[in-house]
Amino acid sequence: MAAKWDDFEPIGGASPSAGWDDFEPVVEKSSVLRRGIADPAISLLKGAISVPEAVVGLANIPTLGIAGKAAEGIGFLPKEAKAELDTWYSPEQQAANRRVQEAKGFIPTLQAGIENPSVIGHTVAESVPSMLGGAAIARGVLGAGAGALARATGAAAAPTIAGAIGEGVVGAGMASEQIRQQTADGTMTPGQAGAALASGIGTGVLGAAGGAAARKLGLTDVDTLLAGGSGTVGARGMPARVLGGAVSEGILEEMPQSAQEQVWQNVALGKPTMEGVPEQAALGGLAGAAMGGIGGLAPKGPLQKAVDAGPPQPENILQPEKPENILQPQNTPAAPGNLPASVPTAASSLPANQAESAGVPISQQQEGAAPSGNETEITKPAATGQQAQPAAAADSAVEWDDFVRTEGADVGTRRLGLIGQQRRDAADFAELARAEAADLGPRRLGIAIAQRKAGIAQDAGIEAATGRVEAARQRQAQAARDEILDSLE
């Protein structure tokens, strides 16, 4: 039966005066369930096949394709399985895929992808399993050697580098198996294995460069995010984050990655170097833009919240409500092996020069009166040649406030700055700082006590030496007397 005019429709909105090549058969309308659930499931299944395909591909590089050929021998045929799954798509999706595949050149492919956005969505869905595989490798790299990568490159850059490594490893495996599948004997030459390895290295290097650029611009990099890095860092609104993520992931990463992967595949198979490169670059750029835009929708993580909150003020973190409570906990029985609660009394037993050098306020009870509550008196450091004079607790609190602020500025620069990089939760960070502040006085007092013990030991040694010198002097004097007496006889 001859086809009717109504059995065809223009491709991409072609005019009715166009030739037959600009028309395609009208496809039947599929249900929303098939297009919205079945088609994406097929793409995810194709992506899942790519994961073991990449594993076999990695084994192909040192074995020159023998691993892949052996896998074929036991029924592992990823190329054929994906081709079969392509026929399971709904007629509408198959038609959209065909329109994009038939486009030639960068701009026509770009236009076809924009006119058939479902193709881009399915390309992203098919990439998800391999991206998760790369993220698993990245997390393993981050944890290797007890965080050796973070120590070598810095905590901020480590997830980006680890994500690039994972992406490069998966890319090398997939390139290797795709090259082997197209060889005549099902194996690979050393040159073809080297081309697959170079493709993976190129993918990793471009991923690291794109991730670093995204981090500097305050944008979210998808691979860094999957590797365990933080989300968007920068004071940008959601539209700017989405647009920036699309540009970063699409133009800076996926587009050059797809292009160089196709170049290395052409080199390995002896094809013209630029064959299919513009088309792959266009599709990769569109898929990357979609992934980057989705990444820009990611909510702010702990690091971003900490950035928005601003740096913590030392006086708010390190200054307790009652300064004397740092060195004198109340109603708290001392645990075995811990310092006694009456810390100011212990501090008063130290010489002024040792306690002052340790940074511990020196407390002393008034003669004839015992302190009560928080009315403990603090001895002010005395000038040279003068006796130390007690001051009221209110005056000592002012001095202690100044001491805490000075310590806060110093500790905030040296220690809390480092801890702040390792802690992403601002609330936990502040709580940790308060605990550090509460522990600051006892630790300094411990240093002072240790210095006092060392001084006592030194004094004992000096006394012992003095005793020996005195004994020797007495023996010498007795010998002189004996000599005089002997001469008189």
Side-chain angles (χ1 to χ4, degrees):
M1 181 177 178
K4 299 179 181 179
W5 178 260
D6 293 338
D7 293 335
F8 296 87
E9 62 181 356
I11 300 175
S15 63
S17 60
W20 278 107
D21 292 338
D22 296 322
F23 288 81
E24 63 182 358
V26 176
V27 296
E28 61 184 69
K29 301 297 181 182
S30 301
S31 65
V32 176
L33 184 65
R34 181 174 185 183
R35 297 217 60 190
I37 297 180
D39 284 353
I42 293 171
S43 294
L44 290 173
L45 183 57
K46 289 175 63 179
I49 294 174
S50 297
V51 175
E53 184 180 19
V55 174
V56 173
L58 290 173
N60 284 337
I61 295 176
T63 63
L64 299 181
I66 294 177
K69 191 169 185 178
E72 282 186 351
I74 60 175
F76 181 66
L77 303 171
K79 181 180 179 180
E80 290 76 5
K82 291 180 182 179
E84 176 63 24
L85 288 174
D86 283 336
T87 65
W88 292 11
Y89 281 120
S90 63
E92 294 91 340
Q93 190 57 49
Q94 292 187 43
N97 293 342
R98 184 171 57 253
R99 286 193 289 268
V100 174
Q101 291 170 359
E102 292 174 351
K104 299 301 179 183
F106 181 82
I107 298 300
T109 303
L110 199 66
Q111 181 179 356
I114 295 174
E115 293 174 350
N116 299 273
S118 62
V119 176
I120 306 305
H122 285 285
T123 302
V124 172
E126 190 173 343
S127 302
V128 168
S130 59
M131 290 175 65
L132 295 178
I137 296 174
R139 290 177 181 268
V141 171
L142 281 176
L149 180 63
R151 293 194 300 271
T153 63
T160 299
I161 297 175
I165 292 174
E167 190 178 10
V169 170
V170 172
M174 295 183 66
S176 172
E177 179 60 11
Q178 289 171 3
I179 291 171
R180 188 205 64 81
Q181 291 170 2
Q182 299 181 60
T183 59
D185 59 354
T187 60
M188 300 172 65
T189 65
Q192 290 171 332
L197 185 60
S199 175
I201 293 174
T203 297
V205 170
L206 290 171
R215 190 173 68 252
K216 289 183 179 298
L217 295 173
L219 301 172
T220 296
D221 179 70
V222 176
D223 297 298
T224 301
L225 196 63
L226 292 176
S230 61
T232 303
V233 178
R236 299 176 181 270
M238 182 174 293
R241 297 203 307 268
V242 171
L243 181 59
V247 172
S248 172
E249 192 74 21
I251 297 178
L252 299 182
E253 286 195 46
E254 292 298 331
M255 184 178 292
Q257 284 177 341
S258 300
Q260 67 92 29
E261 289 169 0
Q262 185 63 43
V263 167
W264 283 113
Q265 183 173 328
N266 292 340
V267 170
L269 297 174
K271 297 180 179 179
T273 303
M274 296 302 294
E275 181 178 316
V277 173
E279 293 80 7
Q280 289 300 317
L283 288 176
L286 289 174
M291 288 187 290
I294 295 173
L297 297 174
K300 295 180 179 180
L303 180 59
Q304 173 63 29
K305 293 177 180 177
V307 171
D308 293 343
Q313 298 299 323
E315 61 270 19
N316 294 334
I317 293 179
L318 297 179
Q319 180 176 339
E321 295 180 0
K322 296 181 179 181
E324 64 272 13
N325 290 341
I326 290 181
L327 293 181
Q328 184 177 349
Q330 299 179 4
N331 301 326
T332 302
N338 292 343
L339 293 174
S342 180
V343 178
T345 303
S348 64
S349 64
L350 301 178
N353 59 347
Q354 292 185 9
E356 182 180 357
S357 63
V360 181
I362 308 168
S363 64
Q364 182 179 11
Q365 295 182 358
Q366 296 180 359
E367 296 183 1
S372 61
N374 294 331
E375 296 178 358
T376 303
E377 292 184 349
I378 308 297
T379 301
K380 296 182 178 179
T384 304
Q386 296 181 359
Q387 184 178 1
Q389 298 296 329
D395 295 337
S396 67
V398 175
E399 295 179 357
W400 181 248
D401 288 346
D402 296 337
F403 168 75
V404 171
R405 291 190 183 93
T406 302
E407 279 297 308
D410 183 44
V411 175
T413 302
R414 291 182 290 104
R415 187 195 312 158
L416 296 185
L418 176 60
I419 297 175
Q421 294 179 359
Q422 300 172 346
R423 305 292 298 184
R424 296 192 180 127
D425 194 324
D428 289 347
F429 173 71
E431 185 64 28
L432 177 63
R434 295 189 189 96
E436 287 289 319
D439 192 41
L440 184 63
R443 279 185 289 160
R444 286 194 173 277
L445 180 60
I447 295 174
I449 293 174
Q451 290 177 344
R452 174 57 177 167
K453 290 180 179 179
I456 293 174
Q458 184 178 8
D459 293 342
I462 293 175
E463 291 178 0
T466 302
R468 290 193 295 270
V469 171
E470 180 63 21
R473 188 189 64 79
Q474 291 178 1
R475 287 194 299 270
Q476 185 179 5
Q478 183 63 39
R481 287 194 297 270
D482 292 344
E483 184 178 353
I484 293 172
L485 293 175
D486 292 341
S487 63
L488 291 176
E489 293 177 357

Tab-separated table of all heavy atoms in Angstrom, residues 147-189:
chain	number	residue	atom	x	y	z
A	147	GLY	N	44.755	10.336	54.165
A	147	GLY	CA	44.608	11.708	53.686
A	147	GLY	C	45.888	12.316	53.157
A	147	GLY	O	46.102	13.528	53.275
A	148	ALA	N	46.748	11.487	52.540
A	148	ALA	CA	48.027	12.000	52.039
A	148	ALA	C	47.824	13.053	50.956
A	148	ALA	O	48.577	14.032	50.880
A	148	ALA	CB	48.875	10.841	51.499
A	149	LEU	N	46.810	12.850	50.099
A	149	LEU	CA	46.575	13.819	49.024
A	149	LEU	C	46.191	15.185	49.588
A	149	LEU	O	46.664	16.220	49.104
A	149	LEU	CB	45.470	13.303	48.089
A	149	LEU	CG	45.116	14.218	46.906
A	149	LEU	CD1	46.318	14.383	45.986
A	149	LEU	CD2	43.922	13.662	46.129
A	150	ALA	N	45.345	15.203	50.608
A	150	ALA	CA	44.940	16.479	51.223
A	150	ALA	C	46.136	17.172	51.857
A	150	ALA	O	46.249	18.402	51.798
A	150	ALA	CB	43.839	16.237	52.248
A	151	ARG	N	47.023	16.410	52.478
A	151	ARG	CA	48.203	17.032	53.078
A	151	ARG	C	49.160	17.573	52.024
A	151	ARG	O	49.834	18.585	52.246
A	151	ARG	CB	48.945	16.014	53.962
A	151	ARG	CG	48.166	15.595	55.198
A	151	ARG	CD	49.070	14.878	56.182
A	151	ARG	NE	49.653	13.679	55.599
A	151	ARG	CZ	49.102	12.482	55.633
A	151	ARG	NH1	47.928	12.327	56.212
A	151	ARG	NH2	49.696	11.441	55.097
A	152	ALA	N	49.211	16.907	50.870
A	152	ALA	CA	50.156	17.327	49.835
A	152	ALA	C	49.638	18.500	49.015
A	152	ALA	O	50.413	19.371	48.608
A	152	ALA	CB	50.468	16.141	48.913
A	153	THR	N	48.323	18.538	48.753
A	153	THR	CA	47.774	19.554	47.855
A	153	THR	C	46.908	20.581	48.558
A	153	THR	O	46.556	21.589	47.949
A	153	THR	CB	46.941	18.888	46.751
A	153	THR	OG1	45.825	18.204	47.337
A	153	THR	CG2	47.780	17.881	45.971
A	154	GLY	N	46.533	20.324	49.817
A	154	GLY	CA	45.628	21.222	50.516
A	154	GLY	C	44.224	20.638	50.550
A	154	GLY	O	43.794	19.961	49.600
A	155	ALA	N	43.509	20.908	51.629
A	155	ALA	CA	42.176	20.332	51.805
A	155	ALA	C	41.190	20.821	50.755
A	155	ALA	O	40.282	20.095	50.362
A	155	ALA	CB	41.650	20.646	53.211
A	156	ALA	N	41.352	22.052	50.269
A	156	ALA	CA	40.400	22.600	49.302
A	156	ALA	C	40.586	21.989	47.924
A	156	ALA	O	39.621	21.735	47.200
A	156	ALA	CB	40.541	24.120	49.233
A	157	ALA	N	41.844	21.756	47.510
A	157	ALA	CA	42.114	21.261	46.160
A	157	ALA	C	42.035	19.753	46.053
A	157	ALA	O	41.858	19.220	44.953
A	157	ALA	CB	43.494	21.739	45.698
A	158	ALA	N	42.161	19.037	47.174
A	158	ALA	CA	42.228	17.578	47.124
A	158	ALA	C	40.998	16.936	46.473
A	158	ALA	O	41.155	16.041	45.625
A	158	ALA	CB	42.453	17.018	48.525
A	159	PRO	N	39.750	17.316	46.816
A	159	PRO	CA	38.606	16.679	46.150
A	159	PRO	C	38.586	16.913	44.643
A	159	PRO	O	38.184	16.027	43.883
A	159	PRO	CB	37.402	17.343	46.830
A	159	PRO	CG	37.908	17.812	48.143
A	159	PRO	CD	39.319	18.234	47.893
A	160	THR	N	39.017	18.093	44.193
A	160	THR	CA	39.051	18.362	42.752
A	160	THR	C	40.045	17.447	42.056
A	160	THR	O	39.748	16.865	40.999
A	160	THR	CB	39.433	19.834	42.506
A	160	THR	OG1	38.443	20.677	43.107
A	160	THR	CG2	39.493	20.135	41.016
A	161	ILE	N	41.233	17.302	42.634
A	161	ILE	CA	42.251	16.443	42.026
A	161	ILE	C	41.815	14.988	42.074
A	161	ILE	O	41.975	14.240	41.096
A	161	ILE	CB	43.591	16.654	42.753
A	161	ILE	CG1	44.069	18.099	42.573
A	161	ILE	CG2	44.637	15.677	42.245
A	161	ILE	CD1	45.312	18.435	43.344
A	162	ALA	N	41.252	14.564	43.204
A	162	ALA	CA	40.786	13.185	43.310
A	162	ALA	C	39.666	12.905	42.317
A	162	ALA	O	39.629	11.843	41.680
A	162	ALA	CB	40.316	12.903	44.732
A	163	GLY	N	38.733	13.849	42.159
A	163	GLY	CA	37.663	13.676	41.178
A	163	GLY	C	38.203	13.562	39.768
A	163	GLY	O	37.709	12.766	38.959
A	164	ALA	N	39.227	14.349	39.437
A	164	ALA	CA	39.837	14.277	38.109
A	164	ALA	C	40.530	12.938	37.894
A	164	ALA	O	40.491	12.362	36.793
A	164	ALA	CB	40.830	15.424	37.932
A	165	ILE	N	41.172	12.418	38.946
A	165	ILE	CA	41.820	11.109	38.828
A	165	ILE	C	40.779	10.027	38.558
A	165	ILE	O	40.955	9.177	37.673
A	165	ILE	CB	42.614	10.798	40.109
A	165	ILE	CG1	43.814	11.750	40.227
A	165	ILE	CG2	43.095	9.350	40.111
A	165	ILE	CD1	44.568	11.613	41.533
A	166	GLY	N	39.685	10.043	39.327
A	166	GLY	CA	38.641	9.057	39.098
A	166	GLY	C	38.044	9.156	37.710
A	166	GLY	O	37.809	8.140	37.032
A	167	GLU	N	37.824	10.384	37.246
A	167	GLU	CA	37.268	10.587	35.906
A	167	GLU	C	38.238	10.095	34.841
A	167	GLU	O	37.840	9.480	33.842
A	167	GLU	CB	36.966	12.070	35.714
A	167	GLU	CG	36.169	12.403	34.466
A	167	GLU	CD	35.862	13.885	34.353
A	167	GLU	OE1	36.423	14.680	35.144
A	167	GLU	OE2	35.049	14.242	33.483
A	168	GLY	N	39.523	10.349	35.033
A	168	GLY	CA	40.519	9.910	34.053
A	168	GLY	C	40.654	8.405	33.994
A	168	GLY	O	40.813	7.828	32.915
A	169	VAL	N	40.580	7.735	35.156
A	169	VAL	CA	40.692	6.275	35.179
A	169	VAL	C	39.525	5.638	34.432
A	169	VAL	O	39.711	4.735	33.593
A	169	VAL	CB	40.757	5.770	36.635
A	169	VAL	CG1	40.614	4.254	36.689
A	169	VAL	CG2	42.065	6.195	37.279
A	170	VAL	N	38.319	6.098	34.717
A	170	VAL	CA	37.145	5.550	34.026
A	170	VAL	C	37.216	5.859	32.531
A	170	VAL	O	36.914	5.003	31.681
A	170	VAL	CB	35.851	6.118	34.635
A	170	VAL	CG1	34.637	5.704	33.812
A	170	VAL	CG2	35.691	5.645	36.068
A	171	GLY	N	37.639	7.074	32.172
A	171	GLY	CA	37.758	7.436	30.762
A	171	GLY	C	38.753	6.577	30.017
A	171	GLY	O	38.515	6.172	28.868
A	172	ALA	N	39.876	6.255	30.643
A	172	ALA	CA	40.874	5.398	29.998
A	172	ALA	C	40.323	4.001	29.767
A	172	ALA	O	40.536	3.399	28.705
A	172	ALA	CB	42.132	5.341	30.864
A	173	GLY	N	39.592	3.471	30.763
A	173	GLY	CA	39.028	2.136	30.592
A	173	GLY	C	37.996	2.079	29.482
A	173	GLY	O	37.993	1.138	28.658
A	174	MET	N	37.107	3.066	29.422
A	174	MET	CA	36.078	3.066	28.378
A	174	MET	C	36.697	3.262	26.994
A	174	MET	O	36.290	2.622	26.024
A	174	MET	CB	35.047	4.160	28.676
A	174	MET	CG	34.258	3.916	29.948
A	174	MET	SD	32.979	5.158	30.268
A	174	MET	CE	31.873	4.830	28.907
A	175	ALA	N	37.687	4.144	26.899
A	175	ALA	CA	38.340	4.352	25.606
A	175	ALA	C	39.036	3.087	25.139
A	175	ALA	O	38.981	2.725	23.952
A	175	ALA	CB	39.343	5.503	25.719
A	176	SER	N	39.676	2.390	26.066
A	176	SER	CA	40.393	1.169	25.710
A	176	SER	C	39.455	0.103	25.150
A	176	SER	O	39.720	-0.502	24.103
A	176	SER	CB	41.121	0.637	26.949
A	176	SER	OG	41.669	-0.636	26.702
A	177	GLU	N	38.335	-0.130	25.827
A	177	GLU	CA	37.419	-1.174	25.364
A	177	GLU	C	36.720	-0.777	24.068
A	177	GLU	O	36.489	-1.626	23.179
A	177	GLU	CB	36.393	-1.481	26.457
A	177	GLU	CG	35.363	-2.537	26.105
A	177	GLU	CD	35.967	-3.902	25.772
A	177	GLU	OE1	37.170	-4.107	26.016
A	177	GLU	OE2	35.226	-4.772	25.263
A	178	GLN	N	36.395	0.503	23.909
A	178	GLN	CA	35.777	0.939	22.649
A	178	GLN	C	36.733	0.799	21.475
A	178	GLN	O	36.313	0.460	20.361
A	178	GLN	CB	35.301	2.381	22.798
A	178	GLN	CG	34.088	2.532	23.716
A	178	GLN	CD	33.759	3.970	24.021
A	178	GLN	OE1	34.396	4.898	23.508
A	178	GLN	NE2	32.761	4.196	24.875
A	179	ILE	N	38.006	1.059	21.712
A	179	ILE	CA	39.002	0.862	20.649
A	179	ILE	C	39.123	-0.622	20.321
A	179	ILE	O	39.137	-1.024	19.141
A	179	ILE	CB	40.364	1.448	21.079
A	179	ILE	CG1	40.280	2.979	21.136
A	179	ILE	CG2	41.472	1.011	20.124
A	179	ILE	CD1	41.505	3.632	21.746
A	180	ARG	N	39.224	-1.466	21.332
A	180	ARG	CA	39.389	-2.908	21.098
A	180	ARG	C	38.200	-3.492	20.351
A	180	ARG	O	38.371	-4.384	19.500
A	180	ARG	CB	39.571	-3.621	22.441
A	180	ARG	CG	39.931	-5.093	22.300
A	180	ARG	CD	39.524	-5.878	23.532
A	180	ARG	NE	38.078	-5.877	23.707
A	180	ARG	CZ	37.242	-6.683	23.053
A	180	ARG	NH1	37.696	-7.526	22.127
A	180	ARG	NH2	35.941	-6.627	23.276
A	181	GLN	N	36.986	-2.999	20.666
A	181	GLN	CA	35.794	-3.541	20.011
A	181	GLN	C	35.797	-3.302	18.507
A	181	GLN	O	35.088	-3.999	17.777
A	181	GLN	CB	34.547	-2.908	20.637
A	181	GLN	CG	34.278	-3.344	22.074
A	181	GLN	CD	33.190	-2.518	22.743
A	181	GLN	OE1	32.606	-1.628	22.117
A	181	GLN	NE2	32.911	-2.800	24.004
A	182	GLN	N	36.579	-2.336	18.043
A	182	GLN	CA	36.578	-1.994	16.619
A	182	GLN	C	37.810	-2.513	15.874
A	182	GLN	O	37.975	-2.217	14.696
A	182	GLN	CB	36.503	-0.466	16.455
A	182	GLN	CG	35.248	0.146	17.060
A	182	GLN	CD	35.172	1.645	16.860
A	182	GLN	OE1	35.150	2.147	15.727
A	182	GLN	NE2	35.135	2.391	17.957
A	183	THR	N	38.648	-3.274	16.553
A	183	THR	CA	39.801	-3.850	15.867
A	183	THR	C	39.398	-5.156	15.193
A	183	THR	O	38.421	-5.811	15.578
A	183	THR	CB	40.949	-4.114	16.854
A	183	THR	OG1	40.497	-5.014	17.887
A	183	THR	CG2	41.407	-2.810	17.493
A	184	ALA	N	40.187	-5.547	14.192
A	184	ALA	CA	39.832	-6.722	13.388
A	184	ALA	C	39.933	-8.015	14.182
A	184	ALA	O	39.073	-8.899	14.075
A	184	ALA	CB	40.732	-6.790	12.152
A	185	ASP	N	40.970	-8.156	15.009
A	185	ASP	CA	41.174	-9.405	15.733
A	185	ASP	C	40.723	-9.350	17.183
A	185	ASP	O	40.903	-10.318	17.928
A	185	ASP	CB	42.649	-9.809	15.666
A	185	ASP	CG	43.562	-8.753	16.267
A	185	ASP	OD1	43.055	-7.666	16.634
A	185	ASP	OD2	44.781	-9.000	16.379
A	186	GLY	N	40.141	-8.246	17.596
A	186	GLY	CA	39.644	-8.144	18.963
A	186	GLY	C	40.719	-7.925	20.003
A	186	GLY	O	40.438	-8.051	21.204
A	187	THR	N	41.935	-7.591	19.581
A	187	THR	CA	43.003	-7.273	20.530
A	187	THR	C	43.510	-5.861	20.243
A	187	THR	O	42.945	-5.140	19.413
A	187	THR	CB	44.161	-8.285	20.427
A	187	THR	OG1	44.692	-8.258	19.098
A	187	THR	CG2	43.671	-9.698	20.739
A	188	MET	N	44.588	-5.485	20.919
A	188	MET	CA	45.119	-4.138	20.768
A	188	MET	C	46.633	-4.192	20.574
A	188	MET	O	47.312	-5.084	21.093
A	188	MET	CB	44.796	-3.290	22.014
A	188	MET	CG	43.324	-3.140	22.306
A	188	MET	SD	43.025	-2.335	23.918
A	188	MET	CE	43.700	-0.706	23.613
A	189	THR	N	47.131	-3.217	19.848
A	189	THR	CA	48.574	-3.041	19.722
A	189	THR	C	49.056	-2.144	20.864
A	189	THR	O	48.252	-1.462	21.509
A	189	THR	CB	48.923	-2.394	18.377
A	189	THR	OG1	48.363	-1.060	18.353
A	189	THR	CG2	48.354	-3.200	17.216
